Amino acid sequence: MKRKHIIFLICASVVLSALVGWIIWGNLAIEVTDFSVQNSEIPEAFDGFRIAQISDLHNAEFGKENADLVAHLERVEPDIIVLTGDIIDSRRTDISVAIDLAPKLVAIAPTYYVTGNHEGRLDGEEYKELTDGFRTAGVIVLENEAVTVTRGTDSIVIVGVEDPRRDEGWTEDDEKTVRFERMEKKLTDLSDKYKNSYSVLLSHRPDMLEVYAESGVDLVFSGHMHGGQFRVPFLGGLYAPSHGFFPEYDAGLYELGSTDMIVSRGLGNSLFPFRINNRPEIVVVELNAK
């Protein structure tokens, strides 16, 4: 073999090894993304209030028993933690990972949870095991409910809507229409509990931003899109199942009317086993009163 061929193979091996190492690192190294949201409806007592978001964990563990994930959350010192669905993965269900994590989150800050589409695929016994385990640990499970968070004489409302379960009776052809209609109804039914307060909605799917905005909620936390799985510089997320190439709401902050929506890139993987240029993410949002 000629010397230049040997040099080429060595260089190619080095580049390939570096690429593989970068991809592995990019699937294990958690990134904290900070946002600041301003709104005149935020009470003065909640100025500087910090909300940490975990989404789409999909049974993943960062460090032994999620020690790295917990350490990152401790460092950001949130006032509350919100879990916006797909904490488990229905393709390889392991409820114990989520239940073991729950008390560690509650020890950091009050923790609120809504389901995602993967929890919606669980059978009744599995779903009960998950939610009972969360409640036992002290997690506030919101199943189409609204709860008040108080600071002094001021308060905000946390609204949580569960992702529709597969046993609610629709075909794939009309799934999107049914989801939108049911989301509208859920928020209409809850509106009396949040319409006179600054409201924070936890809902797994970001593609319903128009519904959220029409319902009058102020801030939405969503996930589901995994940041488009592979992120292309200057273009964003490449692909999301059921949403196609370059999905509209892949990650970050979106605004419609008076509603702000934060979309987390999530932490774990599901259908695709790895990410590219798309590190696992914890979102931290600070509320700022105008």
Side-chain angles (χ1 to χ4, degrees):
M1 184 179 293
K2 294 182 179 180
R3 184 169 179 270
K4 65 179 181 180
H5 290 164
I6 295 173
I7 293 173
F8 172 80
L9 290 175
I10 291 173
C11 291
S13 297
V14 170
V15 170
L16 181 60
S17 297
L19 177 61
V20 171
W22 177 70
I23 290 174
I24 292 172
W25 173 83
N27 280 260
L28 298 176
I30 295 173
E31 179 177 21
V32 176
T33 305
D34 294 293
F35 295 94
S36 177
V37 171
Q38 291 187 328
N39 191 308
S40 60
E41 298 299 318
I42 296 172
E44 285 295 330
F46 284 85
D47 188 54
F49 191 80
R50 291 169 63 80
I51 304 173
Q53 179 191 15
I54 294 174
S55 195
D56 299 273
L57 188 63
H58 287 283
N59 296 339
E61 291 187 82
F62 295 86
K64 185 178 180 181
E65 298 178 346
N66 265 315
D68 291 349
L69 174 57
V70 172
H72 275 81
L73 286 166
E74 289 174 336
R75 282 194 288 270
V76 302
E77 298 182 333
D79 292 290
I80 64 173
I81 298 169
V82 297
L83 312 179
T84 50
D86 286 4
I87 305 304
I88 59 91
D89 193 295
S90 61
R91 294 184 176 89
R92 52 182 191 282
T93 303
D94 185 353
I95 291 171
S96 65
V97 174
I99 292 177
D100 290 346
L101 177 62
K104 299 170 186 175
L105 302 181
V106 173
I108 298 171
T111 302
Y112 301 81
Y113 164 75
V114 295
T115 61
N117 54 296
H118 278 257
E119 287 91 351
R121 296 174 187 155
L122 296 178
D123 64 38
E125 287 188 9
E126 290 174 323
Y127 180 76
K128 186 175 186 303
E129 180 185 353
L130 176 65
T131 53
D132 284 355
F134 273 5
R135 290 188 174 102
T136 298
V139 174
I140 300 164
V141 178
L142 297 175
E143 296 172 316
N144 309 317
E145 300 171 78
V147 295
T148 300
V149 177
T150 301
R151 273 189 161 188
T153 58
D154 289 335
S155 62
I156 63 175
V157 175
I158 310 293
V159 183
V161 289
E162 59 185 350
D163 208 67
R165 293 180 62 79
R166 286 289 185 179
D167 59 6
E168 291 186 0
W170 64 75
T171 66
E172 289 187 7
D173 291 338
D174 62 9
E175 177 183 351
K176 182 175 181 179
T177 300
V178 171
R179 282 196 291 105
F180 274 65
E181 289 174 350
R182 293 188 179 182
M183 179 60 68
E184 288 175 337
K185 184 178 187 309
K186 288 172 182 178
L187 291 174
T188 298
D189 291 345
L190 289 168
S191 62
D192 285 345
K193 297 182 179 180
Y194 67 76
K195 65 182 180 182
N196 296 318
S197 302
Y198 184 78
S199 52
V200 177
L201 171 64
L202 313 183
S203 183
H204 183 63
R205 299 176 190 254
D207 56 316
M208 289 186 267
L209 176 55
E210 289 186 10
V211 177
Y212 304 149
E214 288 173 4
S215 74
V217 295
D218 296 298
L219 174 62
V220 184
F221 285 89
S222 289
H224 188 56
M225 298 293 191
H226 295 201
Q229 202 72 33
F230 306 154
R231 294 193 67 75
V232 181
F234 309 110
L235 295 177
L238 178 63
Y239 183 82
S242 77
H243 294 275
F245 287 97
F246 300 106
E248 183 175 5
Y249 304 116
D250 61 336
L253 172 63
Y254 301 87
E255 300 176 13
L256 182 60
S258 60
T259 299
D260 297 307
M261 181 174 72
I262 301 290
V263 182
S264 169
R265 301 197 310 268
L267 286 154
N269 301 311
S270 182
L271 187 61
F272 295 110
F274 61 92
R275 299 161 171 248
I276 294 179
N277 196 34
N278 181 20
R279 286 169 59 187
E281 178 181 56
I282 293 172
V283 166
V284 179
V285 174
E286 182 173 289
L287 305 184
N288 297 125
K290 286 186 178 179

